[in-house]
Amino acid sequence: MYATFLRAAFGTKKRAWAVIVAWVLLVGILGAMSPSIDDVKAAGDDGAPADAASAMAEERLREAFPGRDDVLPAIITISADDEATARGAAAAVTDHFRGAVGERTLAPISASCAEPGSGLRPGADCMPAGVEGTRSGDGLTRSLIVPVVGDPTTAEFRDDVAAMRRAAADAADGATTHLTGPAGIVTDTVKVFASGDAGRITVVLAVDPYEPEAMDSLPALEDAARGALADAGAAGATVTATGETATSADIRSGLESDTLLLIPLILGIVGLVLGLLLRSILAPIYLVATLALSFVATVGLTVFIAVTVQGDSGIGNRVTAYILVFLIALGVDYTIFLMSRVRQELAHSGMREALRTSLVRTGGVVSSAGLILAATFAVLMTQPIRELYQFGLAMALGILLDTFVVRPLLVPAIVRLIGDRALWPIESAKRDRPKEPVESA
């Protein structure tokens, strides 16, 4: 039955051409059906390289703004019509936040902590502050600082600040309160403050910060900041984005560069090994090309299934690189099994017969191994981590394509077209010749 299939698929060069054209069309269709891989790459969990722009910007911020990165000061001002009311209201607000010290707020910094008659005492939960800068000359306005812990880009942080505003207003009986400072400003989306020669602007995006759309929006934000600085007379200032979105964008960019380096490196090494093993100059060229086509088809089919059909927001940044390394390493094994057998058979038969014999004798083993390996990788599709699912799906699809399309169809079709020179400079011991017509007597 298998021999009948071989004759049907590769019996003539026209049929071999048909197999090759069909495979190239399949790759093109899969690529056309899928979104661009750059448009759907999603962020992963690894950090950006140390020399990435976002990483260097973050390091510069740590130098300019030492201390905890997750604490922002909230400045609460208390105003009243008379000094006694302002003093009592400031002490009451300070006492409230002294009692609220915990995971979300730290000890308040207030002159009331050491002011006689306030009923408060300095300590770990009440940090005294000087009168200068915290009290107006007429004594009608006072201020205190409450450090707020959390990520200012989250709704939880904004809810905490809103709750602090309500609590301060309730505690300051008879006085008017306002909450400002970095923690207060960030609730209105943008927080701006500077230290020395460095400034920081926090922008809360309207989309998921880990989505490709958010990463693609960073250049426009940086250009807008440069334009604003130029208008303000600081045209020479350096503007660099940092934070989770910028880090993810740098990771994506770094992985894209690595993948572009890996492709020629891996294919070059594989081609060299094939050339040494098969003692051929021509064979590695078309065999490496089949591996590249298999990789393209696998990525296209994976993106189509995961993103278009199943609704994933994107393909993990690292998934493409993983597919490239694993699929080519595993796929070339099956090609080596087939072509090394063809080379052995050429010692005593023509190319057509050597190819037929090699396919028959290696087909069962390679097909069984491919099924087992594809099923093994498919186990990753049961994992809740989406990158593992996508990688398992891609490897299962890629191995099945390589096992049942590339090795038994595409490679034999190319060999059949080239004929006796398929392993050039090695040639078969017996050249394939067309049968001569038998003349009747």
Side-chain angles (χ1 to χ4, degrees):
M1 180 178 178
Y2 195 48
T4 302
F5 166 76
L6 294 178
R7 285 194 299 270
F10 313 116
T12 66
K13 288 190 175 182
K14 288 183 178 179
R15 294 174 186 172
W17 268 117
V19 172
I20 295 174
V21 171
W23 174 240
V24 173
L25 287 175
L26 175 62
V27 173
I29 291 172
L30 291 176
M33 290 168 57
S34 307
S36 168
I37 190 68
D38 291 333
D39 294 337
V40 296
K41 280 187 177 179
D45 297 326
D46 291 344
D51 59 350
S54 62
M56 291 190 291
E58 187 172 356
E59 178 62 26
R60 179 69 185 91
L61 284 179
R62 280 196 292 267
E63 295 173 358
F65 300 94
R68 291 185 58 169
D69 293 334
D70 60 345
V71 177
L72 289 179
I75 300 175
I76 300 175
T77 62
I78 300 100
S79 302
D81 294 333
D82 60 87
E83 184 176 356
T85 302
R87 181 174 59 252
V93 173
T94 301
D95 185 53
H96 169 80
F97 286 106
R98 180 182 65 84
V101 172
E103 295 183 357
R104 306 303 300 175
T105 58
L106 303 181
I109 304 170
S110 172
S112 299
C113 294
E115 186 174 15
S118 65
L120 303 175
R121 294 291 181 271
D125 59 353
C126 195
M127 309 295 291
V131 174
E132 184 178 356
T134 63
R135 184 186 306 174
S136 63
D138 57 9
L140 301 182
T141 301
R142 297 179 175 236
S143 66
L144 61 109
I145 298 174
V146 179
V148 186
V149 180
D151 182 355
T153 65
T154 63
E156 184 180 13
F157 185 92
R158 295 191 291 272
D159 291 341
D160 288 342
V161 172
M164 290 174 64
R165 283 182 168 135
R166 292 191 297 269
D170 292 340
D173 187 25
T176 302
T177 63
H178 296 282
L179 190 151
T180 184
I185 297 173
V186 80
T187 59
D188 298 324
T189 304
V190 179
K191 165 179 63 67
V192 182
F193 58 93
S195 173
D197 60 351
R200 179 166 60 184
I201 301 175
T202 298
V203 178
V204 180
L205 301 174
V207 296
D208 187 332
Y210 299 100
E211 292 293 328
E213 182 182 356
M215 291 183 263
D216 294 338
S217 69
L218 293 180
L221 289 174
E222 291 178 346
D223 290 342
R226 292 188 187 97
L229 287 170
D231 294 340
T238 300
V239 177
T240 308
T242 185
E244 294 297 329
T245 303
T247 299
S248 299
D250 283 336
I251 293 173
R252 181 178 67 172
S253 176
L255 285 169
E256 288 173 353
S257 300
D258 291 345
T259 302
L260 292 177
L261 175 64
L262 283 174
I263 290 175
L265 181 63
I266 293 176
L267 294 180
I269 293 174
V270 168
L272 179 62
V273 171
L274 286 172
L276 294 174
L277 176 67
L278 301 176
R279 304 292 192 273
S280 173
I281 298 175
L282 179 59
I285 297 175
Y286 60 79
L287 293 177
V288 165
T290 63
L291 293 173
L293 283 174
S294 179
F295 166 70
V296 172
T298 299
V299 172
L301 187 57
T302 301
V303 172
F304 175 73
I305 293 176
V307 177
T308 305
V309 177
Q310 298 180 335
D312 284 2
S313 60
I315 294 293
N317 282 329
R318 293 173 291 276
V319 171
T320 306
Y322 292 165
I323 296 172
L324 174 68
V325 173
F326 280 87
L327 187 60
I328 290 182
L330 296 172
V332 75
D333 289 347
Y334 300 155
T335 302
I336 288 174
F337 291 155
L338 173 64
M339 296 307 294
S340 61
R341 184 66 190 221
V342 169
R343 181 173 176 272
Q344 294 172 4
E345 294 294 330
L346 284 177
H348 50 77
S349 63
M351 179 59 75
R352 186 186 303 175
E353 181 62 24
L355 180 61
R356 187 193 69 80
T357 303
S358 300
L359 283 170
V360 171
R361 295 186 178 179
T362 63
V365 175
V366 172
S367 298
S368 300
L371 285 173
I372 293 172
L373 197 57
T376 301
F377 276 105
V379 172
L380 294 176
M381 296 171 63
T382 64
Q383 301 302 303
I385 301 175
R386 206 58 191 171
E387 280 197 0
L388 285 179
Y389 172 88
Q390 292 170 353
F391 176 63
L393 172 66
M395 289 305 301
L397 292 172
I399 291 171
L400 291 176
L401 282 174
D402 206 84
T403 303
F404 295 104
V405 177
V406 175
R407 181 198 59 81
L409 293 177
L410 185 59
V411 172
I414 296 174
V415 173
R416 177 70 180 88
L417 284 176
I418 300 175
D420 291 316
R421 295 184 179 276
L423 290 179
W424 184 83
I426 296 176
E427 294 187 5
S428 60
K430 300 179 181 179
R431 284 181 173 273
D432 292 327
R433 295 184 177 88
K435 294 182 179 179
E436 296 181 359
V438 179
E439 296 182 359
S440 57

